[in-house]
Amino acid sequence: NSPRNIISLRASSKSCGCPIMITPSRIVVQYGSRFHADCSSCVNGSCKETKWETPTGSKETLNNSNNGINKTRWNVDHATEWDIKPMCYEDTNADCCTVLAFTLYKPPDNVSISFVNHTGPLLEGHQYNLQCRVQNVRPIQNLAVTFYKGDTILDSVQSRSSENTTVTETFTSFSFNSSRGDDGVQYWCEAKLNLGQQGPPPVTMSERLTTTVYCEFTSNIRVARWSLNCTAHSNPRPAYSWTGPDNTTVGNGSDFSVQSAGFEHKGLYICAARNSQGSATVKFNVDVGGVFNVFNLSASEAHPFLILQTWSSFLVRHAPTLIVHSAVGF
């Protein structure tokens, strides 16, 4: 056991009105750890013998031949006593005394995070609360819990317990609505013991909870690339033009394709082929519907039907269909 987890702070010890000095002036130590504190009472280089009044540990006198200052050291190998008030006093004057500010703490055995009354994937637009369970911590009055979404703080909660013992407590975050952007997000919490102004506070973090969010597609659904073909065989070679559902020209080759289709692509597509000898048209009625699956499609005069390949994942409500009716012309 090395002297670890000791935080020396600038704090005023309770003094009985004499020149007793304790170093460090305050001790904050983890349960089971080792520490020591020195006490002396000197005025103008003249020092008096001091003694410790403590419920545990050993004492020894340290003599410094260089400056003549004598110190009494209080040694503790395993800090296990709660709520003690160590006091140092002059051996010949018990009224000359100082009480050392002393805090013993125990970090949590475990910190865990979960959703309140929920397991499994989240649903888009539903309301949820996170809960952080902190096991076997003391002093509970100094405990604060922070909830995180990735690296962003969601909520902070301070314990309101007044129990003077080792405590297990569950903290709950505020309510929030899940969104599709939360899919894959990691939630976690940390328990922090705020024990003073100097030195980093003891912090224990939970595991990371990675979320899956089930959601429905909205009207801007996109499916895989699809294409239409109206190749004509004529001499001279024809020129092509495609007219879309809104009667505007959308293409000028024998093939028409959409890289990422949505409901706005639904409607009648007309392919016109023209040369000096005449013209012909092919009509394709494309219907995009449903909520999920993905389709690849193609069509020609000889095969005026769609060849469909589908895949699916997530939550399926309806199977989208893209339909090409018989072609005329050519």
Side-chain angles (χ1 to χ4, degrees):
N1 294 321
S2 59
R4 59 189 177 88
N5 300 316
I6 298 178
I7 307 173
S8 299
L9 305 173
R10 293 178 185 175
S12 298
S13 301
K14 181 181 178 182
S15 177
C16 302
C18 58
I20 284 188
M21 178 178 293
I22 297 178
T23 308
S25 60
R26 183 182 181 188
I27 287 182
V28 179
V29 61
Q30 181 174 327
Y31 186 88
S33 296
R34 183 180 183 180
F35 71 93
H36 68 264
D38 295 333
C39 175
S40 62
S41 180
C42 302
V43 177
N44 298 327
S46 175
C47 300
K48 296 182 179 181
E49 184 177 351
T50 56
K51 290 186 177 181
W52 282 97
E53 183 178 294
T54 63
T56 186
S58 63
K59 291 86 178 178
E60 61 177 318
T61 300
L62 305 178
N63 297 314
N64 191 324
S65 58
N66 293 327
N67 55 24
I69 297 178
N70 297 324
K71 296 181 180 180
T72 304
R73 174 164 291 181
W74 173 38
N75 292 300
V76 176
D77 291 331
H78 300 281
T80 58
E81 297 288 334
W82 299 94
D83 303 321
I84 61 175
K85 296 181 179 180
M87 184 175 66
C88 181
Y89 60 93
E90 288 185 0
D91 186 31
T92 58
N93 181 12
D95 291 334
C96 180
C97 60
T98 298
V99 176
L100 172 63
F102 177 83
T103 300
L104 182 63
Y105 72 90
K106 181 187 178 301
D109 291 337
N110 184 59
V111 176
S112 59
I113 189 170
S114 61
F115 286 97
V116 177
N117 299 325
H118 180 82
T119 58
L122 308 182
L123 297 179
E124 181 184 20
H126 285 230
Q127 193 174 80
Y128 299 95
N129 295 86
L130 290 166
Q131 61 185 7
C132 187
R133 188 168 187 262
V134 184
Q135 293 180 278
N136 300 327
V137 63
R138 185 173 179 180
I140 190 67
Q141 297 87 348
N142 298 77
L143 184 68
V145 168
T146 304
F147 293 88
Y148 290 87
K149 176 183 177 182
D151 294 327
T152 303
I153 294 177
L154 283 179
D155 198 8
S156 294
V157 184
Q158 180 73 39
S159 176
R160 297 181 179 180
S161 174
S162 58
E163 292 189 46
N164 193 24
T165 184
T166 302
V167 174
T168 294
E169 187 171 351
T170 299
F171 299 81
T172 303
S173 73
F174 64 82
S175 300
F176 65 93
N177 291 325
S178 64
S179 67
R180 63 186 59 201
D182 295 333
D183 187 61
V185 165
Q186 290 186 325
Y187 293 94
W188 56 285
C189 61
E190 68 175 16
K192 181 187 297 185
L193 282 168
N194 296 310
L195 301 170
Q197 298 177 353
Q198 293 183 1
V203 175
T204 307
M205 295 181 292
S206 73
E207 75 283 0
R208 304 260 174 159
L209 178 62
T210 303
T211 56
T212 299
V213 179
Y214 282 172
C215 56
E216 296 181 1
F217 279 103
T218 56
S219 60
N220 63 347
I221 180 175
R222 292 293 183 268
V223 295
R225 179 183 182 274
W226 56 272
S227 62
L228 304 174
N229 177 273
C230 67
T231 303
H233 302 284
S234 62
N235 190 19
R237 296 181 63 181
Y240 297 93
S241 66
W242 287 86
T243 302
D246 57 356
N247 294 320
T248 60
T249 300
V250 294
N252 55 11
S254 60
D255 294 316
F256 172 72
S257 63
V258 173
Q259 298 296 328
S260 180
F263 290 120
E264 68 270 22
H265 297 107
K266 176 180 179 180
L268 181 66
Y269 291 80
I270 301 175
C271 174
R274 297 180 177 85
N275 64 11
S276 59
Q277 303 303 307
S279 64
T281 61
V282 177
K283 296 181 180 180
F284 301 85
N285 189 18
V286 177
D287 183 19
V288 182
V291 175
F292 204 64
N293 291 352
V294 174
F295 291 77
N296 295 324
L297 63 154
S298 61
S300 66
E301 177 191 10
H303 303 283
F305 303 98
L306 296 181
I307 302 173
L308 305 180
Q309 295 178 329
T310 69
W311 59 268
S312 64
S313 61
F314 299 105
L315 210 57
V316 178
R317 286 289 185 85
H318 305 285
T321 58
L322 293 91
I323 303 170
V324 175
H325 297 291
S326 300
V328 297
F330 296 167

